[in-house]
Amino acid sequence: MDKSFAETYFDFSKVNTETLQQAFIDTIYMTVISMICVLVIGLVLGLLLYTAGRNNKPYAKFLYTAVSIISNIFRSTPFMILMVLLIPFTKVLVGTMLGAKAAIPALVFSAAPFYARLVEIAFREVDSGVIEAAEAMGANYWQIVRKVIIPESIPALISGLTVTTVSMIGFTAMAGAIGAGGLGGLAWQEGYQRNNLTVTFVATVIILLIVFIVQGVGDFLAKRTDKR
């Protein structure tokens, strides 16, 4: 006998709260640890791209091209494929290819180049008049970066970080399908493979709530730091 719509999606007796709680913790763990790494690496790479892009010397052009190519390779490779390709590296780095820890290298390699591009764009959008005024006052390049470019870019950096974090949450869900755990793994293994669509529904709702919260906080912070 076919199940009704309510029995298919809203039979919450089929949801194990302990398993759901652990999946939620794993998703938050993967997202937070990965985004800390992405923030640091993305800022460094973004600044490197911005600095090299403004320099007309041959070595700077070569550096910009090399970093751009490497960044585009990791940014353009589908996450599932990238995670499989990085399995040997992941096993050496964290000692396993399963669980939340194992997903972090692929998450970072996938998202850091994306955020680096957003950082570069944010730096380029800083008003050139402000930079010229700082130069006229005798500030050197790194003083301008620290006291002018980064502060002026804060709203755009926050917006870029918000977009990247939302994408990261989606990546963690995909990682769950190949053994990383989290809400994506729960939705796939407990929900799809065992035909328990209530679990898939609940996991999806929680993922959406996390995304809405991240987006809301990011938009709020971007508006609060925008001086315009």
Side-chain angles (χ1 to χ4, degrees):
M1 184 177 179
D2 291 338
K3 296 179 181 179
S4 67
F5 180 84
E7 289 175 328
T8 300
Y9 291 100
F10 302 108
D11 186 2
F12 298 114
S13 63
K14 294 181 179 180
V15 179
N16 186 311
T17 54
E18 290 184 4
T19 304
L20 182 63
Q21 182 181 14
Q22 186 59 51
F24 173 78
I25 292 171
D26 287 345
T27 294
I28 297 299
Y29 171 80
M30 285 188 282
T31 303
V32 171
I33 299 300
S34 298
M35 284 310 303
I36 290 172
C37 297
V38 166
L39 176 62
V40 175
I41 296 171
L43 284 173
V44 172
L45 286 179
L47 180 59
L48 183 61
L49 288 168
Y50 172 77
T51 302
R54 293 188 61 198
N55 196 321
N56 292 322
K57 294 181 179 179
Y59 76 87
K61 291 183 178 180
F62 172 79
L63 180 62
Y64 183 86
T65 301
V67 174
S68 294
I69 290 173
I70 294 171
S71 174
N72 289 338
I73 288 173
F74 283 106
R75 190 162 57 97
S76 303
T77 304
F79 177 73
M80 293 287 284
I81 296 174
L82 180 63
M83 191 165 181
V84 172
L85 288 174
L86 289 176
I87 283 176
F89 172 77
T90 300
K91 289 180 71 175
V92 171
L93 189 64
V94 300
T96 180
M97 56 178 283
L98 299 174
K101 283 196 306 182
I104 290 174
L107 291 169
V108 173
F109 274 105
S110 180
F114 175 74
Y115 185 57
R117 283 296 186 184
L118 297 180
V119 170
E120 181 193 8
I121 293 169
F123 288 169
R124 285 184 174 182
E125 289 180 348
V126 174
D127 188 352
S128 59
V130 178
I131 297 175
E132 289 171 2
E135 290 174 341
M137 295 174 64
N140 61 39
Y141 180 72
W142 294 111
Q143 288 175 327
I144 292 173
V145 168
R146 191 174 72 256
K147 297 182 179 180
V148 177
I149 294 176
I150 292 179
E152 290 291 324
S153 304
I154 289 296
L157 293 176
I158 292 174
S159 296
L161 189 65
T162 302
V163 171
T164 307
T165 304
V166 170
S167 299
M168 178 72 73
I169 295 168
F171 290 157
T172 65
M174 286 188 283
I178 53 175
L183 291 167
L186 182 68
W188 175 258
Q189 295 168 6
E190 296 290 332
Y192 177 75
Q193 293 186 332
R194 298 184 181 180
N195 197 29
N196 186 354
L197 294 183
T198 299
V199 170
T200 301
F201 173 75
V202 171
T204 302
V205 169
I206 294 174
I207 290 172
L208 290 174
L209 287 174
I210 295 172
V211 168
F212 291 152
I213 291 170
V214 169
Q215 189 68 59
V217 172
D219 291 344
F220 172 77
L221 292 176
K223 289 179 182 178
R224 285 295 299 269
T225 54
D226 195 342
K227 301 175 184 177
R228 293 173 293 180

